[in-house]
Amino acid sequence: MTDTLELRHWIDGEKVDAERPSEGLNPSDTREIVARRPEGGEAEVNAAVAAAKAAFPAWAGASPEVRSDVLDRAGTLLMERREAIGTLLSREEGKTLAEGIGETVRAGRILKYFAGEALRLHGQNLASVRPGVEVQTRREAVGVFGLITPWNFPIAIPAWKAAPALAFGNTVVLKPAGPTPATAEALVAVLHEAGLPKGVLNMVVGRGNVGQALVDHPDVDGLSFTGSQGVGAGVAAGAAARQARVQLEMGGKNPLIVLDDADLDRAVAIALDGSFFATGQRCTASSRLIVQDGIHDRFVAALAERLRGLKVGPALDPATNIGPAVSEAQMETSYRYIEIARGEGGRVVAGGDRPQLETPGWYVQPTLIAETAAGMRINSEEVFGPVASTIRVKSYEEALEIANGVEFGLSAGIVTGSLKHARDFQRRAKAGMTMVNLPTAGVDYHVPFGGTKKSSYGPREQGFAAVEFFTWTKTAYTAL
Ligand code: UN1
């Protein structure tokens, strides 16, 4: 397991060689170099955008069956190679092998879903108010999309942005996250193997300057970004300045409310999954556990007990439950927030210390901090690690107010046996996704995904909603 990949850009159907100044280390064992990576710049972005622009007319004009077949074949290839690609993903990103394989299959399913969508270009027939006139709406491909993707779902998110872009006839330049380009390259390679024509999907590996070059490029017609709120705001401002379309998915500080009438075991299992699986590195993670007084102490004790039983370890070790953080910086962010929470008066009831492992890696013990208050930094700022805090509340109303009281609004959950509270929560939670008796994280691939407030901007991603962003509407009049 010590092969080092030599990464290249992927422009106009060719792998383009470049110097590789950057090394991607395995977060589970930092002695291992997973990939040597080029650092692209404006020249590579210009070449990639030119290739995507040149490829657009033929791809948009092809039979939808051509696009559908490519996506379907690539989906099959990903699923067939789930072990190999899932292993690469886990070596590069650090999530457990089960999670890496699961994500690879999810990417395959996304491609297959959009293989179907390619054949379903939506449109409407409308009656004009004028006699003898018909009106139709048509959905047309937009052009070149720049996709800027995060490291935490290094194959699923490139797939869920690229698949609808390609299905509806657009061409793409992908800029994968700095830490995870090798996994993104596996997706790009599989799509080419499945018959994607050259220039339709390009990839430029590098840092933030690559993303910025895409944002500023006059021939990039739309930008889809998933990442932090600060970077997202810059992407949107740059896109708006030159009237490019833009779609952003950003942070979360997702609440999970546990009411007194919840089943304790179920509530603990939901919190465990939502807060800590995938090392808590999900924008949908439940980082604020808002727990009613009557169940509070039992819930905190039971969850802390389960956390102490989890094994933190190398991603590929079958005994591991929680893999490492993706990077040293991400690991240090978790520890910094644990200290901030302690300083604010929080009580660490599980984790908190640096685990001592045989292999050198960026490990964080899953950490639960009890007795925190709503206004604290630990309850306002996204940590993006296996760290959650509990807030004690007296009533459902108080819980709801706290749940809604942050600047993010991606996913919000409640564990309750009460239909009344569940339905009320679905109506009043200020979040793009509400989860009743389910973790806030872990979403289906064929339904709309997105949030409110500072979590999202622009049309929804995924499922039937994706057509909104990746096509434009033409209104066509005919007098008979
Ligand atoms: C999930 O919870 O299954 O970056 C998906 C993220 C989100 C995707 C979460 N855009 O974490």
Side-chain angles (χ1 to χ4, degrees), residues 95-96 99 153 268-282 284-286 306-307 310 321-323 366 385-387 439 441-442:
K95 61 180 71 174
T96 65
E99 289 167 341
F153 284 91
V268 168
I270 288 169
L272 193 71
D273 175 331
S275 304
F276 299 102
F277 289 1
T279 317
Q281 297 180 143
R282 294 190 276 191
T284 44
S286 333
R306 289 288 295 276
L307 289 176
L310 292 181
N321 304 114
I322 305 282
V387 179

Side-chain angles (χ1 to χ4, degrees), residues 400-452:
L400 182 67
E401 194 182 323
I402 290 173
N404 284 338
V406 291
E407 61 177 18
F408 294 113
L410 188 57
S411 183
I414 190 167
V415 191
T416 180
S418 153
L419 184 61
K420 179 169 161 260
H421 285 137
R423 299 310 292 244
D424 187 76
F425 179 75
Q426 285 175 326
R427 273 194 299 274
R428 292 167 66 203
K430 299 272 184 289
M433 297 173 290
T434 61
M435 307 290 187
V436 173
N437 296 325
L438 285 169
T440 54
V443 299
D444 287 317
Y445 57 84
H446 64 300
V447 300
F449 177 96
T452 62

Side-chain angles (χ1 to χ4, degrees), residues 191-353:
L191 278 158
H192 281 89
E193 194 178 330
L196 200 68
K198 69 191 186 84
V200 170
L201 171 63
N202 308 272
M203 180 175 89
V204 180
V205 177
R207 296 174 184 253
N209 61 318
V210 173
Q212 192 60 48
L214 283 171
V215 170
D216 293 336
H217 200 297
D219 289 334
V220 173
D221 301 290
L223 291 143
S224 181
F225 167 86
T226 298
S228 68
Q229 201 268 328
V231 177
V235 170
R242 58 178 189 81
Q243 286 119 62
R245 5 179 104 205
V246 64
Q247 170 185 65
L248 310 175
E249 294 298 343
M250 300 168 288
K253 193 71 202 172
N254 308 293
L256 178 72
I257 295 175
V258 179
L259 294 186
D260 281 349
D261 63 15
D263 177 274
L264 181 67
D265 291 345
R266 192 176 197 186
V268 168
I270 288 169
L272 193 71
D273 175 331
S275 304
F276 299 102
F277 289 1
T279 317
Q281 297 180 143
R282 294 190 276 191
C283 56
T284 44
S286 333
S287 49
R288 295 182 296 143
L289 307 172
I290 303 169
V291 190
Q292 206 176 353
D293 228 0
I295 196 171
H296 178 277
D297 293 356
R298 282 178 294 141
F299 174 81
V300 170
L303 182 57
E305 184 64 35
R306 289 288 295 276
L307 289 176
R308 284 190 281 269
L310 292 181
K311 188 170 179 317
V312 178
L316 298 184
D317 180 343
T320 293
N321 304 114
I322 305 282
V326 72
S327 65
E328 187 170 13
Q330 211 61 45
M331 174 184 77
E332 291 302 339
T333 300
S334 286
Y335 288 124
R336 197 170 65 247
Y337 272 102
I338 293 167
E339 284 322 304
I340 288 170
R342 276 196 174 114
E344 289 175 314
R347 188 164 56 86
V348 174
V349 291
D353 305 322

Side-chain angles (χ1 to χ4, degrees), residues 10 12-13 55 58-59 62-77 81 111 166 186-201:
W10 205 299
D12 204 16
W59 181 245
S63 159
E65 228 167 42
V66 172
R67 300 194 292 268
S68 178
D69 284 350
V70 169
L71 292 169
D72 187 51
R73 272 196 294 269
T76 302
L77 289 171
R81 297 181 196 163
L111 298 189
L166 300 174
L187 173 71
V188 173
V190 152
L191 278 158
H192 281 89
E193 194 178 330
L196 200 68
K198 69 191 186 84
V200 170
L201 171 63

